């Protein structure tokens, strides 16, 4: 929808009203549905990491093989993200979202039913192919439907679904796994995903506003043009730095807490419970602070402060559990506080007609970075004869160095929409 040449230059139409008219769905309801999808997606993604000690014991696998299990999801998502970038902006956002979510639900059910390590690896590849693109599409919808001045707060609310997953989903999943088997959490996520899929089918609005300005160029030409835009190159560089800094550390938090700090497998849920309780509030505060004081400034402060818990958690000796939980909680607080303004800023670096394609490419870059981070960490971290993990501090130092690089990178981003 474009203004005619006769219209005054100062008359504009809110981007969000073009893409998702307010008479179709209220902004709050849209954010709630997106957060519900993000909730199930995040449980499926992160549950693998706290299940690490049990999976390593049940399947008799090494840290390197466990790292492959985590990274297989992200590598698959990286490939799917690139392929989806060829066509995703040519579909109604609702149809694309529900189609991907259906594939994700089927993939999660396959994980639940996998009887061996090899079949679980295949199932993770399947669920990653759909689930990895979901996160990108959710951010594209936020970018389409929410004005830039409220985009940080909206991103914070949707990203807070990770916190809710940590508070409710992960502890429940770990409890079910400890009482029955590791299959149970995936059955739970598959069931929840099916319910959310039905709700989304009936209540999500059609979202076709981006199609009014859709380009007629070849999809490969669109991708080539996207990759040539300097601003988007910096956005992807920030994604690489931010993701690798996290995934050098995160996959081995649970195995390290069990093998080196003295946690029982059943006690791991407390790490995610307290971390999630804190970030449910701090992620939203970070979003509001980013809207008020500037996304770059809030990101830089949160990123630099995150170095302290990174160093603490990767060098932690056997300590009382309450000390370990304080450190892990601060890790999650600053991990989320830097992620929210970064994602809101990245979403704003691309114009609406290219947003879906770019966010899919960026998701591909993000998932590839996560896979490389966790896979590389699997080669660095070793298991001693006594079962303790060695060299975890090395990945902490690497993560801190990459975090500092991300603070330099974010200065080059320029919002355009």
């Amino acid at each position: 929808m474009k203004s005619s040449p006769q219209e005054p230059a100062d008359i504009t139409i809110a981007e969000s009203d073009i893409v998702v008219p307010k008479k179709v769905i209220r902004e709050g309801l849209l954010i709630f549905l997106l957060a519900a999808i993000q909730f199930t997606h995040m449980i499926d993604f992160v549950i693998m990491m706290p299940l690490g000690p049990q999976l390593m014991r049940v399947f008799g696998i090494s840290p390197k093989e466990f790292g492959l299990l985590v990274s297989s999801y992200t590598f698959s998502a990286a490939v799917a993200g690139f392929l989806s970038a060829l066509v995703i902006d040519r579909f109604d956002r609702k149809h694309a979202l529900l189609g991907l979510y259906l594939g994700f639900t089927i993939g999660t059910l396959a994980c639940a039913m996998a009887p061996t390590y090899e079949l679980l690896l295949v199932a993770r590849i399947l669920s990653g192919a759909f689930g990895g693109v979901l996160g990108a599409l959710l951010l594209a919808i936020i970018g389409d439907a929410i004005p830039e001045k409220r985009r940080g707060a909206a991103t914070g609310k949707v990203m807070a679904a990770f916190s809710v997953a940590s508070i409710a989903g992960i502890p429940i999943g770990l409890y079910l796994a400890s009482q029955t088997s590791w299959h149970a959490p995936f059955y739970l996520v598959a069931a929840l995903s099916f319910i959310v899929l039905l709700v989304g089918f009936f209540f999500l609005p059609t979202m076709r506003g981006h199609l009014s300005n859709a380009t007629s160029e070849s999809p490969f030409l669109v991708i080539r043009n996207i990759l040539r835009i300097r601003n988007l190159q910096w956005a992807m560089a920030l994604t690489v730095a931010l993701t690798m800094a996290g995934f050098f550390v995160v996959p081995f938090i649970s195995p390290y807490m069990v093998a080196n700090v003295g946690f029982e497998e059943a006690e791991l849920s407390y790490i995610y419970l307290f971390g999630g309780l804190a970030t449910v509030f701090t992620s939203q505060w970070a979003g509001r602070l980013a809207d008020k004081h500037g996304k770059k400034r809030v990101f830089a402060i949160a990123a630099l402060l995150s170095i302290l818990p990174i160093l603490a958690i990767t060098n932690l000796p056997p300590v009382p559990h309450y000390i370990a939980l304080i450190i892990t909680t601060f890790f999650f607080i600053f991990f989320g506080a830097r992620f929210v303004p970064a994602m809101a800023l990245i979403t704003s670096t691309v114009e609406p007609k290219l947003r879906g394609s770019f966010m899919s490419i960026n998701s591909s870059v993000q998932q590839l970075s996560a896979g490389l981070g966790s896979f590389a960490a699997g080669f660095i971290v070793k298991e001693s004869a006594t079962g303790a993990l060695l060299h975890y501090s090395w990945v902490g130092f690497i993560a801190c160095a990459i975090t500092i690089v991300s603070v330099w990178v974010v200065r080059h981003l320029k919002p355009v929409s």
Side-chain angles (χ1 to χ4, degrees), residues 49-121:
M49 288 172 275
L51 286 176
Q54 186 174 150
L55 291 172
M56 291 170 68
R57 173 171 48 80
V58 170
F59 291 126
I61 57 177
S62 67
K64 183 173 70 173
E65 290 170 312
F66 173 66
L68 178 61
L69 200 57
V70 175
S71 61
S72 64
Y73 184 103
T74 56
F75 286 141
S76 174
V79 175
F82 178 80
L83 294 177
S84 68
L86 298 173
V87 297
I88 199 165
D89 277 327
R90 300 174 182 266
F91 292 95
D92 182 313
R93 299 285 197 222
K94 174 180 179 178
H95 297 161
L97 184 64
L98 293 181
L100 289 169
Y101 198 46
L102 175 61
F104 162 78
T105 303
I106 294 172
T108 303
L109 182 61
C111 291
M113 300 173 67
T116 64
Y117 169 78
E118 290 76 16
L119 288 177
L120 178 59
L121 187 63

Side-chain angles (χ1 to χ4, degrees), residues 51 54 172-185:
L51 286 176
Q54 186 174 150
I172 292 174
L174 285 175
Y175 175 78
L176 291 175
S178 65
Q179 297 299 312
T180 55
S181 75
W182 64 265
H183 300 271

